[in-house]
C-alpha cells in the first residue's frame, strides 16, 4: 500500500504518469532500452516475443504451470517493471558508481538504514549482521563488508540483486518460477563467498543444520490478504479422512438477499453472486485477482470465504461477515489485511 501511495505522489508532483516518469528520469539516462513499466508496455514496444513465461508448481499433478503476464497498476510502486538482466545490471552499476540519476545524496537516502527486519536474528547466517531495511534495499554486513540488495517474488517469478559498495561488485539473478527467489539467494551468497575468497568449508551457506531447528512462525500471503491455511482440511484430505467441521446452519434469509454490488473506496467494487447454490465473488479483474466462495457458519451473518488466487489457485480461509439491518444486507466485511484486527467493510450499493 505504501508503495502505491508513493507512486501516486510521484505522479501528482511530476505531472507525469509513473511509467513516463521512470522512463524520463531513470531508464533513458541509464540506457535501459529493454525496460519499461507493465507487460503491456513491453509488448507495445515489440518485446512480446522476448518476454519469458513464469511458472508455478502444481502439487496435485507434480507439474509446472505456465502463467500469463498481467499488468499490475495497483502495485506499480512495488514492482511491475519489465526488464532484462543486462538492463537491470545497469541500475546496479549506477548505484555502485553514483552515476546518472543516482547522485551521492540520492545514494545516501536509498541506503540509510531505517529499521531492522530481524532484530532478534534467531535464524541469522554466520558472520552476518541483522538485516536492516533502507529505501527499497535490504542492508546487512557480511564478514565486515556492507551488502545491499533486495529479493523479488511474484507468482511465477523470483530473483535477487545485490552489490558490495566496498568492492564495486554486484550481480542480478532472475528466475521464471517462484523457487527462483530461493535459488537466487543461494547463488548470491556463493558469489559473495567466491569473490571474498572464503574457503568452501567455512562459507556461511555450509552451516550445519541444527538438531532442533527453530520453527518458522512467519506466515506467507502472496496477495497480502489475512488468510489462514485450512491445514486440518488438507491434512485430513491427505489421510483419506473427512475434515471435522461443525455442521453449518442454514442462513435465515435467502441467498438472493446478499447478491449485488459492494463498494470500498480503497479496494473498489466486489459483486456478490450465486454460483452452485453458494455466495461467490469473482474478483479476477484486478492486479492480484482472486475468487471467494462463501461457506455459511452462523446466523446468516458469519461466513468463511474460501479464497483462490487467480494465478496460484489454492484454498485459503478469510473471515467474512455480512451486516444485516431490518432483514436487509447493508455491508460485507472481509478480513483482508493481516496487520489489522478490523475487517475491511464494503457498503452494499442500493439499486435505483
Amino acid at each position: 500500500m505504501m508503495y502505491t501511495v508513493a507512486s501516486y505522489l510521484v505522479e501528482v508532483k511530476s505531472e507525469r504518469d509513473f511509467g513516463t516518469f521512470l522512463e524520463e528520469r531513470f531508464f533513458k539516462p541509464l540506457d535501459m532500452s529493454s525496460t519499461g513499466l507493465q507487460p503491456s508496455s513491453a509488448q507495445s514496444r515489440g518485446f512480446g516475443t522476448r518476454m519469458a513465461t513464469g511458472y508455478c508448481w502444481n502439487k496435485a499433478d507434480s507439474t509446472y504451470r505456465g502463467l500469463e503476464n498481467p499488468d499490475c497498476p495497483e502495485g506499480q510502486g512495488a514492482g511491475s517493471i519489465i526488464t532484462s538482466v543486462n538492463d537491470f545490471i545497469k541500475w546496479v552499476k549506477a548505484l555502485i558508481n553514483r552515476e546518472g540519476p543516482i547522485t551521492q545524496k540520492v545514494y545516501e537516502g536509498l541506503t540509510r538504514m531505517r529499521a531492522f527486519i530481524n532484530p532478534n536474528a534467531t535464524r541469522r547466517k554466520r558472520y552476518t549482521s541483522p538485516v536492516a531495511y533502507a529505501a527499497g534495499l535490504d542492508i546487512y554486513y557480511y564478514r565486515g563488508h556492507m551488502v545491499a540488495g533486495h529479493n523479488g517474488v511474484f507468482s511465477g517469478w523470483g530473483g535477487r540483486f545485490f552489490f558490495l559498495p566496498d568492492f564495486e561488485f554486484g550481480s542480478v539473478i532472475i528466475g521464471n518460477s517462484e523457487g527462483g527467489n530461493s535459488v537466487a539467494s543461494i547463488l548470491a551468497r556463493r558469489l559473495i563467498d567466491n569473490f571474498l575468497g572464503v574457503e568452501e568449508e567455512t562459507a556461511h551457506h555450509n552451516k550445519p543444520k541444527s538438531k532442533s531447528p527453530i520453527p518458522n512462525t512467519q506466515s506467507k500471503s502472496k496477495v497480502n490478504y489475512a488468510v489462514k491455511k485450512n491445514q486440518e482440511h488438507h491434512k485430513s484430505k491427505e489421510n483419506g479422512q473427512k475434515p471435522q467441521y461443525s455442521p453449518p446452519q442454514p442462513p435465515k434469509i435467502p441467498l438472493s438477499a446478499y447478491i449485488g454490488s459492494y463498494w470500498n473506496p480503497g479496494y473498489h467494487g466486489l459483486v456478490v453472486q450465486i454460483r452452485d447454490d453458494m455466495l461467490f465473488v469473482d474478483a479476477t479483474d484486478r492486479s492480484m485477482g482472486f475468487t471467494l466462495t462463501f461457506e455459511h457458519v452462523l446466523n446468516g451473518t458469519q461466513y468463511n470465504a474460501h479464497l483462490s488466487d487467480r494465478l496460484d489457485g489454492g484454498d485459503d480461509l478469510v473471515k467474512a461477515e455480512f451486516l444485516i439491518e431490518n432483514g436487509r444486507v447493508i455491508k460485507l466485511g472481509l478480513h483482508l489485511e493481516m496487520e489489522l484486527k478490523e475487517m475491511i467493510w464494503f457498503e452494499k450499493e442500493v439499486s435505483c
Side-chain angles (χ1 to χ4, degrees):
M1 185 69 75
M2 61 181 178
Y3 291 107
T4 302
V5 173
S7 67
Y8 176 70
L9 290 175
V10 168
E11 291 181 330
V12 171
K13 297 294 290 185
S14 67
E15 298 182 346
R16 301 277 196 281
D17 66 82
F18 193 55
T20 301
F21 177 85
L22 293 176
E23 182 72 22
E24 294 177 351
R25 298 292 188 93
F26 296 96
F27 303 153
K28 282 187 177 179
L30 295 176
D31 191 29
M32 298 172 67
S33 57
S34 296
T35 302
L37 185 67
Q38 306 296 355
S40 60
S41 172
Q43 292 167 351
S44 67
R45 295 161 62 189
F47 295 142
T49 57
R50 291 179 53 191
M51 293 177 64
T53 299
Y55 291 89
C56 279
W57 180 251
N58 189 335
K59 293 182 179 179
D61 55 10
S62 298
T63 60
Y64 278 102
R65 178 169 60 93
L67 304 176
E68 58 182 299
N69 292 311
D71 282 5
C72 298
E74 295 96 331
Q76 66 180 10
S80 300
I81 293 178
I82 307 302
T83 189
S84 65
V85 289
N86 289 333
D87 261 17
F88 201 155
I89 200 66
K90 295 176 182 177
W91 167 251
V92 177
K93 180 173 175 286
L95 288 169
I96 292 174
N97 297 330
R98 282 64 141 187
E99 60 187 20
I102 308 301
T103 63
Q104 182 63 30
K105 185 176 181 180
V106 169
Y107 176 83
E108 291 173 357
L110 291 174
T111 57
R112 180 167 62 87
M113 293 181 282
R114 291 162 169 81
F116 284 105
I117 298 174
N118 56 345
N120 296 327
T122 54
R123 299 176 66 85
R124 182 159 48 95
K125 298 290 191 298
R126 287 190 296 173
Y127 315 113
T128 305
S129 73
V131 180
Y133 194 69
L137 293 171
D138 298 333
I139 308 289
Y140 67 93
Y141 283 80
Y142 174 57
R143 295 181 178 270
H145 301 291
M146 175 178 161
V147 181
H150 196 60
N151 284 356
V153 61
F154 188 71
S155 297
W157 304 94
R160 177 167 180 79
F161 80 92
F162 71 89
F163 63 96
L164 280 68
D166 293 346
F167 301 102
E168 299 183 351
F169 170 71
S171 180
V172 173
I173 307 165
I174 300 175
N176 59 337
S177 75
E178 290 182 30
N181 187 48
S182 299
V183 173
S185 295
I186 294 171
L187 288 175
R189 291 197 299 269
R190 296 204 174 189
L191 285 170
I192 293 171
D193 282 334
N194 289 340
F195 181 81
L196 295 177
V198 177
E199 295 294 335
E200 186 173 353
E201 62 269 19
T202 62
H204 62 218
H205 56 265
N206 287 328
K207 180 179 179 180
K209 294 182 179 180
S210 170
K211 294 182 180 180
S212 301
I214 299 172
N216 183 6
T217 58
Q218 295 180 346
S219 61
K220 177 183 178 183
S221 175
K222 296 175 185 174
V223 292
N224 294 327
Y225 299 131
V227 297
K228 179 181 179 182
K229 288 289 185 183
N230 191 355
Q231 295 175 343
E232 292 300 322
H233 170 75
H234 293 293
K235 186 176 181 181
S236 299
K237 192 174 181 180
E238 291 173 1
N239 294 334
Q241 302 172 357
K242 292 184 178 180
Q244 299 300 314
Y245 290 129
S246 299
Q249 301 177 6
K252 295 182 178 180
I253 60 176
L255 292 182
S256 58
Y258 298 86
I259 64 174
S261 299
Y262 294 74
W263 180 261
N264 176 280
Y267 295 81
H268 295 183
L270 296 176
V271 177
V272 176
Q273 53 187 295
I274 299 174
R275 180 177 294 185
D276 298 328
D277 296 323
M278 301 183 77
L279 297 177
F280 180 81
V281 167
D282 183 349
T284 57
D285 59 340
R286 55 210 70 195
S287 295
M288 299 176 184
F290 60 93
T291 61
L292 294 172
T293 303
F294 292 80
E295 179 184 26
H296 180 247
V297 176
L298 185 66
N299 294 332
T301 60
Q302 307 294 323
Y303 281 79
N304 282 331
H306 294 259
L307 184 148
S308 179
D309 184 82
R310 176 166 64 97
L311 297 177
D312 295 345
D315 180 12
D316 300 327
L317 289 183
V318 175
K319 184 179 179 181
E321 181 177 349
F322 288 92
L323 186 60
I324 302 175
E325 288 186 358
N326 300 322
R328 186 171 63 89
V329 179
I330 62 172
K331 289 184 180 181
L332 164 62
L334 294 169
H335 192 204
L336 296 177
E337 298 293 343
M338 67 175 65
E339 301 299 330
L340 299 177
K341 294 181 180 180
E342 301 83 3
M343 288 187 171
I344 305 300
W345 287 96
F346 296 76
E347 299 271 355
K348 188 178 183 185
E349 298 179 344
V350 179
S351 301
C352 298

